[in-house]
Amino acid sequence: MATDNFISKEVSQDGMTVRVEAERTGAGAWMLRVVGRRGQISQWTEFFASSTEALTTGLTAIRYEGIEDFYDDPVFRYLQDDKQTLQH
């Protein structure tokens, strides 16, 4: 998906898919996010001069960190197994 202010690219690796998003801010800079399978967001605190620079940074992070770091949030990993119950 792409517009003048938003570009999104799905990335799949090892059976996992995440979405890399670049969005233009009001200041003309580009914000970068990677969205995991349950909608959790990894958002960069720095801004980028272009959508290409933002997307390249996201793709590089996925390549070096591993897609699994963006695919699932370990804090909510219990959601993967519906049979597991929470202990209070």
Side-chain angles (χ1 to χ4, degrees):
M1 172 183 200
T3 67
D4 288 343
N5 296 315
F6 181 82
I7 297 174
S8 175
K9 177 180 175 75
E10 285 195 349
V11 177
S12 296
Q13 184 181 33
D14 300 328
M16 296 175 266
T17 300
V18 297
R19 194 172 61 249
V20 181
E21 299 177 346
E23 184 174 4
R24 187 189 312 260
T25 66
W30 288 82
M31 178 175 28
L32 170 63
R33 292 184 290 266
V34 177
V35 182
R37 76 174 181 143
R38 296 195 187 275
Q40 74 276 9
I41 296 172
S42 297
Q43 183 167 311
W44 274 243
T45 56
E46 65 184 286
F47 292 93
F48 301 90
S50 69
S51 60
T52 301
E53 184 182 346
L55 291 174
T56 299
T57 299
L59 295 171
T60 300
I62 290 168
R63 184 172 57 241
Y64 285 108
E65 299 294 329
I67 195 167
E68 59 278 349
D69 284 357
F70 299 97
Y71 182 72
D72 260 327
D73 186 336
V75 174
F76 297 106
R77 202 156 276 157
Y78 73 89
L79 294 173
Q80 293 177 16
D81 185 3
D82 293 334
K83 296 176 186 172
Q84 185 175 347
T85 59
L86 296 177
Q87 301 293 324
H88 296 289

